[in-house]
Amino acid sequence: MPNEKTLGARVGSRLPTPWKSETGLTVSLDGRPDHKSLKPATAWATVEMPTRSRGPMESTTRLQMSAHGVEGKRTVTVNRTVKTTLSRLDVQLDQAINIDRESHGAHELRMRTSQTFRVTSPRTRTSVAATASRNGHDPWRTSIAIEQPLRKALNLSARVESDSGSERKARLGAKYHFSW
């Protein structure tokens, strides 16, 4: 029976820049008694640019990077969020681009992108979201969703998904959350 104990440490520091920026290292051990228990360390960095405001519109951009070991996976992610209020409705656009390479010797980069446009009524808390996403050369996947919180701990939701002309999938759901 394998030993399921794991240990990990994450150390990092904020950088002395006017932007919110951090860098660090994550190291983990999987509990095996041999010399192979040390997994490659992951170096990471995050930069969050200051929120820009133009009238009622706010824009935030965040950049994250990571490198797993000397020859492992490399990842760069850029997230951008734009928020505003139009005719008593909160409007938000979230955009994300993720580029990664599996290993140091690999020449192929993989790219994932997604965009979500969300409109929320602050009065009723009803939210409608449309999302488009694509993974590499795969077809675009789209979805439209509606969420309605009924009480503090009860949320109803419905979602319709499609991947570029093929079958559509629909989901209805209710979530209940209870906090002690």
Side-chain angles (χ1 to χ4, degrees):
M1 181 171 173
N3 187 346
E4 296 189 21
K5 294 180 183 177
T6 59
L7 299 170
R10 180 176 170 111
V11 293
S13 177
R14 289 205 167 169
L15 299 174
T17 65
W19 295 351
K20 183 179 175 184
S21 53
E22 302 170 315
T23 187
L25 189 67
T26 302
V27 179
S28 62
L29 301 165
D30 68 5
R32 291 183 293 175
D34 61 11
H35 68 283
K36 295 181 182 179
S37 65
L38 180 62
K39 295 180 181 179
T42 299
W44 51 269
T46 302
V47 176
E48 188 172 315
M49 295 170 201
T51 300
R52 293 187 335 213
S53 296
R54 290 186 187 156
M57 190 176 302
E58 289 184 354
S59 174
T60 304
T61 303
R62 182 180 174 96
L63 173 67
Q64 296 171 278
M65 299 158 282
S66 68
H68 187 68
V70 176
E71 296 183 4
K73 184 175 182 176
R74 308 291 192 254
T75 303
V76 175
T77 303
V78 178
N79 295 300
R80 182 170 183 253
T81 299
V82 178
K83 297 178 184 179
T84 192
T85 300
L86 299 172
S87 297
R88 297 186 207 153
L89 295 173
D90 294 336
V91 179
Q92 181 172 323
L93 174 65
D94 293 311
Q95 300 171 307
I97 297 174
N98 179 289
I99 300 171
D100 62 30
R101 184 177 70 185
E102 278 304 315
S103 66
H104 182 66
H107 296 289
E108 184 177 332
L109 296 176
R110 290 187 315 194
M111 185 170 119
R112 291 182 299 276
T113 183
S114 68
Q115 295 188 50
T116 300
F117 181 74
R118 179 179 307 273
V119 178
T120 305
S121 168
R123 187 176 61 80
T124 64
R125 300 180 311 163
T126 303
S127 172
V128 177
T131 300
S133 62
R134 187 169 186 180
N135 192 358
H137 297 291
D138 293 345
W140 283 95
R141 298 180 61 85
T142 56
S143 68
I144 187 160
I146 185 167
E147 291 184 8
Q148 177 62 59
L150 295 179
R151 297 190 180 262
K152 189 174 184 179
L154 182 62
N155 188 38
L156 295 179
S157 63
R159 179 191 251 7
V160 177
E161 299 174 347
S162 174
D163 53 353
S164 196
S166 68
E167 291 182 19
R168 287 183 174 83
K169 300 174 189 172
R171 286 189 198 140
L172 296 174
K175 293 181 183 176
Y176 180 76
H177 174 75
F178 181 75
S179 296
W180 293 92

